[in-house]
Amino acid sequence: MKKSILLIGIALMASASCTQDKVMETRQGKPIDFRAAIETKGVELTTEELTSFRATAIDGNNDLYFQYLDFTKNGDIFTSTPEYYWPASGELTFYAYSPADKADNVSITSEAQTLEFTPAGNIADQIDFVAIKTTGSNTAEGMELEFQHSLTQIQIDAKNTNTGYTYSVTGVKFVNIASAGTFNFEEWDVTNAALTTYSTTYDNPIILDTEAESIMGPEGNAILIPQQLVAWDNTVGPASAEGQTGSYLAVRINVTTSSGVQIYPKEGEYDWVAVSLNTKWLPGYKYIYILDFTTGAGTDEDTNESILGKDIKFDLNYVWGWSNSNYGL
């Protein structure tokens, strides 16, 4: 879902970052202000939550017009200190992002534009991060900035239509996922990122029913770095084997028969079953994995032993822009 922010300005004064021997013609008038209109869904930033963002502007001569300038909400608009005005002619290219304090190692110059981002290790603390690169000039109508979700949202749903078994779920995790990425305002690079695990567990079990429902628990959906996943090969060995770098998701389950006899795990109350992942996660997409435990429960994460004889069936739906359109695989 794109975030629309209206950039209004009539005049622009010369930036302090310009060299002493350069003079830019400006019009005296209203400074650059922003207006925000954000539609709410799920864990996205809302109009109320978006209280500031940071922007850099580069002029038509490829000079920095302003750099790392914070715009904060002032009533219905976002203003900066100091104020800047539109140039009398020519275009400005804007690089903006929010929340500004969550971006690492930001370097936005006329030569290159990158920032690094590391999702919080706790799914409950992960946040929506939006960014935009766009070019425009002073017009009477103003210019619209369309902020886009730069990360990927992940949700796991599950169901069971086999009344012979009861499945209780108390956790989800994503294993061997790139832990950080470098963003150039168009695409992500995770080449040098270490692999990590993102997990959530909860005390009150979710009992699977015939209709698929989220098993993410009270912490909500994961928001991670876009990347191409390379799947764990379950024909080679256990998902958790030392040196195994393939990606997978795991569900923390308890399985009993309808009469109450515990089938899984053999010891303890709950344990993890694994499912390979090879999806290409794209920025701005919400991926919903729908796991069907009706005919099987997959394999144990540590032993690779099959549970109830068959793998978990799953479908994948993703949602562009975190809206309601969907695609099924």
Side-chain angles (χ1 to χ4, degrees):
M1 181 173 300
K2 295 182 177 178
K3 315 237 186 235
S4 296
I5 292 183
L6 189 64
L7 172 62
I8 300 175
I10 301 177
L12 187 59
M13 67 183 181
S15 167
S17 64
C18 296
T19 58
Q20 294 291 329
D21 58 346
K22 290 186 179 181
V23 178
M24 178 177 289
E25 181 183 356
T26 63
R27 299 172 183 162
Q28 295 305 308
K30 185 178 179 181
I32 297 176
D33 295 331
F34 294 82
R35 295 186 183 274
I38 302 176
E39 187 173 349
T40 304
K41 179 177 282 293
V43 293
E44 298 179 9
L45 288 171
T46 66
T47 301
E48 292 74 21
E49 292 168 343
L50 183 64
T51 58
S52 66
F53 58 87
R54 187 165 295 166
T56 295
I58 298 175
D59 66 22
N61 296 318
N62 207 33
D63 292 322
L64 284 172
Y65 194 72
F66 56 75
Q67 188 181 37
Y68 312 141
L69 185 64
D70 288 325
F71 287 81
T72 56
K73 196 169 186 178
N74 182 9
D76 293 332
I77 64 174
F78 291 79
T79 59
S80 66
T81 302
E83 297 177 335
Y84 287 84
Y85 298 80
W86 283 103
S89 61
E91 293 185 324
L92 293 175
T93 299
F94 296 94
Y95 298 86
Y97 54 94
S98 181
D101 61 348
K102 299 302 182 182
D104 302 318
N105 299 321
V106 179
S107 178
I108 303 176
T109 67
S110 56
E111 288 76 29
Q113 305 81 36
T114 60
L115 61 81
E116 296 177 7
F117 188 89
T118 303
N122 187 349
I123 289 177
D125 298 327
Q126 292 172 353
I127 54 95
D128 183 11
F129 185 79
V130 296
I132 182 66
K133 170 190 174 182
T134 191
T135 301
S137 59
N138 182 27
T139 64
E141 296 80 12
M143 188 185 76
E144 185 177 64
L145 290 179
E146 295 183 335
F147 275 75
Q148 299 182 18
H149 299 287
S150 298
L151 302 176
T152 300
Q153 184 181 165
I154 311 295
Q155 176 177 318
I156 307 299
D157 290 0
K159 65 179 180 179
N160 168 44
T161 62
N162 186 341
T163 58
Y165 296 92
T166 299
Y167 291 86
S168 301
V169 178
T170 57
V172 171
K173 64 181 176 181
F174 306 91
V175 184
N176 290 332
I177 308 299
S179 59
T182 301
F183 185 52
N184 65 2
F185 288 82
E186 293 180 357
E187 59 186 3
W188 289 89
D189 181 6
V190 297
T191 304
N192 297 317
L195 299 179
T196 193
T197 296
Y198 298 99
S199 65
T200 177
T201 59
Y202 38 90
D203 295 330
N204 296 324
I206 297 172
I207 309 302
L208 300 189
D209 204 344
T210 57
E211 297 295 327
E213 62 177 313
S214 173
I215 56 172
M216 296 302 297
E219 292 189 352
N221 295 342
I223 305 180
L224 304 175
I225 298 293
Q227 58 194 275
Q228 173 65 66
L229 302 179
V230 178
W232 153 59
D233 183 356
N234 63 1
T235 66
V236 174
S240 63
E242 184 177 356
Q244 196 285 114
T245 59
S247 300
Y248 65 94
L249 69 86
V251 182
R252 190 168 182 257
I253 66 170
N254 169 281
V255 185
T256 64
T257 65
S258 57
S259 61
V261 177
Q262 182 167 305
I263 303 298
Y264 182 82
K266 295 179 180 178
E267 297 181 0
E269 191 173 1
Y270 288 90
D271 211 344
W272 296 92
V273 294
V275 181
S276 295
L277 290 179
N278 64 354
T279 319
K280 184 176 183 178
W281 289 344
L282 299 174
Y285 277 69
K286 176 181 177 181
Y287 293 79
I288 305 175
Y289 294 90
I290 304 176
L291 306 182
D292 187 350
F293 287 82
T294 300
T295 60
T299 59
D300 181 274
E301 178 189 33
D302 295 325
T303 67
N304 210 29
E305 292 180 359
S306 180
I307 302 166
L308 300 182
K310 294 184 179 179
D311 291 336
I312 303 169
K313 294 181 179 180
F314 77 94
D315 291 327
L316 169 63
N317 290 290
Y318 66 77
V319 183
W320 168 249
W322 300 1
S323 66
N324 288 324
S325 59
N326 63 76
Y327 171 85
L329 177 64

